[in-house]
Amino acid sequence: MVTMSVSQLINPHVKHLAASLIREVADAAMGRSDVLAFWFGEPHESTPEPICDAARQSISAGETFYSQNLGLPELREGLAVMLNTWHPDAASRITADRVAVTSAGVSGLMVAAQLMIAPGDRVLALTPVWPNLLQSVRLLGAQIQPLALEIDRSTQAWTLNLAKVIDALASRPKALVINSPNNPTGWVIAPHEMAAIVEACRRYRVWLLSDEAYTKLVFGPAARTNQGATAPSALDTAQPDDPVIVSSTFSKTWQMTGWRLGWLVVPNGLSDEVAKLVEFNTSCAPVFVQRAGLAALALGSAPIEAFRARLEQRREVLLSGLAAMPQVHCPRADGAMYAFFQVPGHTDCLSLARGLIDTVGLGLAPGAAFGEQSRGWLRWCYAKPSSILEDGLGRLQQGLRQLRAA
Ligand SMILES: Cc1ncc(COP(=O)(O)O)c(C=O)c1O
């Protein structure tokens, strides 16, 4: 009798799932004191103290039990109030019954994918994009059809070919996945582009999953033209009955990556379906983490703006440093916390990323992690103090010299 190995017994969608290339590079050098690490998208600072205090108090008060699947009612209400202040001109007010608290962005994205996707579905995705967004969809057996962002020749900025996206929506895929402000490019969608996409999704009955994890991290013209430095959102024009899901997280805006807290805004009448999915994924976010989330909301807009302003300064340090290097090409973009750049002549970003670690102790993420089209690219998270960024820039300069010479 031929016996199948246990690995042959696992779900083929899992077997075919690619491991994270960012992890692959980082794992080999994590913890090395000689390596400056910019590979993950994490703020440098730890979580503000009032948020930590709220969690400590909640644990001390014995809040160590399950909560409702969709989260504490007061947190759902608080999120709805906050979203209405972030999007004051939204086509319709966001109500708490459409908000689901999730165990951070990744879990919210999985729940959203489970709500929309069946095996064999075709899903459009604007790329390059953070790999986890697509992997949850692949895991459910859908095929991804990438639609590439482009670089405008005259402005050298990332840009969307809107006509191409609308045409693709007319072919009635199951869903379109967008992430703006974008990880890894920093691209921020324009208000008219988001409005046109929401309208087309409504017309063609295509799901729009809009990952807005970095919505409060916009800079330059994008910060000045949008209300209170908020990126254009699908919530600005979506009606409660539209096939639109918005996903977000506490991780970046409040420096809470390790807490695992996020939220979804879903169409009217679907919260019960979402509650079922949360039940079978995580059952609920821990209550003391939700209390921390409430404390974050209570801090208001000042710490968010202060964080954004700090990042804007750091972004300037990194972008001007990269612009001064003739061997680097970094298209401009106005959001998130990354510089995404190409080193012409280097087509294998994995070996380039490894080479920079080995020669000068510089830890960057390989572009290939974000899609086929960015094989020669590198991503650098600039959520670090300027002195560290400057040290990194010096290392990049030296590393590229050494790697060319080698
Ligand atoms: C685009 C995007 N969405 C969602 C997330 C999820 O973050 P978390 O799971 O920490 O909430 C990330 C994290 O890097 C991200 O880059």
Side-chain angles (χ1 to χ4, degrees):
M1 190 177 82
V2 183
T3 319
M4 285 212 266
S5 72
V6 271
S7 82
Q8 287 172 300
L9 295 175
I10 67 171
N11 174 350
H13 295 308
V14 177
K15 193 129 186 104
H16 295 135
L17 213 56
S20 163
L21 290 179
I22 309 174
R23 284 265 168 205
E24 193 177 312
V25 168
D27 280 353
M30 220 141 97
R32 263 175 55 183
S33 59
D34 61 326
V35 174
L36 278 187
F38 303 98
W39 41 47
F40 296 140
E42 273 197 311
H44 183 74
E45 297 85 354
S46 54
T47 308
E49 214 29 51
I51 300 177
C52 302
D53 270 346
R56 281 191 280 265
Q57 281 167 22
S58 170
I59 294 175
S60 299
E63 290 192 316
T64 54
F65 300 97
Y66 296 127
S67 81
Q68 297 87 337
N69 293 133
L70 294 173
L72 297 172
E74 54 270 48
L75 181 54
R76 296 174 69 199
E77 185 59 44
L79 284 166
V81 169
M82 180 195 74
L83 289 170
N84 287 315
T85 62
W86 285 5
H87 309 289
D89 303 323
S92 71
R93 290 190 66 72
I94 296 126
T95 48
D97 57 321
R98 292 175 56 205
V99 176
V101 174
T102 61
S103 296
V106 248
S107 181
L109 291 168
M110 177 55 87
V111 166
Q114 289 167 334
L115 190 72
M116 303 182 301
I117 306 296
D121 282 342
R122 181 169 58 94
V123 173
L124 301 179
L126 293 188
T127 60
V129 76
W130 184 57
N132 299 33
L133 239 174
L134 305 188
Q135 299 301 50
S136 47
V137 168
R138 284 202 181 96
L139 189 55
L140 298 170
Q143 303 294 323
I144 304 284
Q145 182 184 334
L147 284 176
L149 291 171
E150 296 170 7
I151 297 167
D152 184 279
R153 273 172 191 263
S154 57
T155 60
Q156 284 301 304
W158 286 98
T159 180
L160 176 73
N161 186 332
L162 182 62
K164 206 164 82 179
V165 178
I166 302 295
D167 269 1
L169 288 170
S171 72
R172 295 180 190 266
K174 187 57 162 296
L176 166 66
V177 176
I178 294 187
N179 166 228
S180 157
N182 177 255
N183 175 4
T185 61
W187 165 76
V188 180
I189 197 167
H192 76 277
E193 293 168 336
M194 186 60 107
I197 288 173
V198 167
E199 199 278 321
C201 287
R202 176 187 303 140
R203 182 161 18 118
Y204 296 119
R205 309 314 292 161
V206 175
W207 280 108
L208 171 62
L209 173 56
S210 181
D211 178 336
E212 301 183 3
Y214 299 94
T215 204
K216 295 303 285 180
L217 303 182
V218 280
F219 315 108
R224 287 190 291 277
T225 55
N226 295 300
Q227 183 100 25
T230 306
S233 164
L235 298 172
D236 293 334
T237 54
Q239 296 293 340
D241 293 331
D242 284 337
V244 171
I245 300 177
V246 171
S247 157
S248 197
T249 172
F250 284 77
S251 287
K252 320 287 172 173
T253 315
W254 292 276
Q255 301 95 63
M256 291 177 69
T257 49
W259 294 77
R260 318 311 299 135
L261 191 65
W263 68 89
L264 293 173
V265 180
V266 299
N268 253 353
L270 293 195
S271 296
D272 288 349
E273 308 298 330
V274 173
K276 285 192 274 183
L277 292 169
V278 173
E279 171 65 24
F280 303 128
N281 278 276
T282 53
S283 297
C284 61
V287 173
F288 49 88
V289 172
Q290 296 191 59
R291 294 280 180 220
L294 269 165
L297 303 191
L299 293 175
S301 58
I304 301 177
E305 174 49 28
F307 178 52
R308 192 203 66 78
R310 263 197 319 277
L311 272 186
E312 184 152 36
Q313 254 178 355
R314 294 167 181 182
R315 166 181 178 264
E316 212 34 60
V317 168
L318 182 62
L319 293 191
S320 49
L322 291 174
M325 292 186 199
Q327 66 276 54
V328 164
H329 171 229
C330 183
R332 285 202 74 91
D334 286 335
M337 46 169 75
Y338 310 100
F340 197 52
F341 62 96
Q342 202 176 17
V343 187
H346 287 269
T347 48
D348 179 353
C349 56
L350 261 183
S351 63
L352 180 56
R354 289 198 186 104
L356 288 170
I357 292 170
D358 294 341
T359 53
V360 289
L362 177 64
L364 303 178
F370 307 93
E372 272 303 308
Q373 91 210 68
S374 31
R375 289 222 152 261
W377 296 66
L378 293 169
R379 187 196 72 177
W380 184 325
C381 173
Y382 53 72
K384 299 266 186 205
S386 302
S387 57
I388 302 181
L389 295 171
E390 278 157 4
D391 186 351
L393 281 163
R395 291 182 190 215
L396 179 64
Q397 184 86 275
Q398 194 193 337
L400 291 180
R401 221 177 291 128
Q402 278 178 241
L403 292 169
R404 196 183 43 208

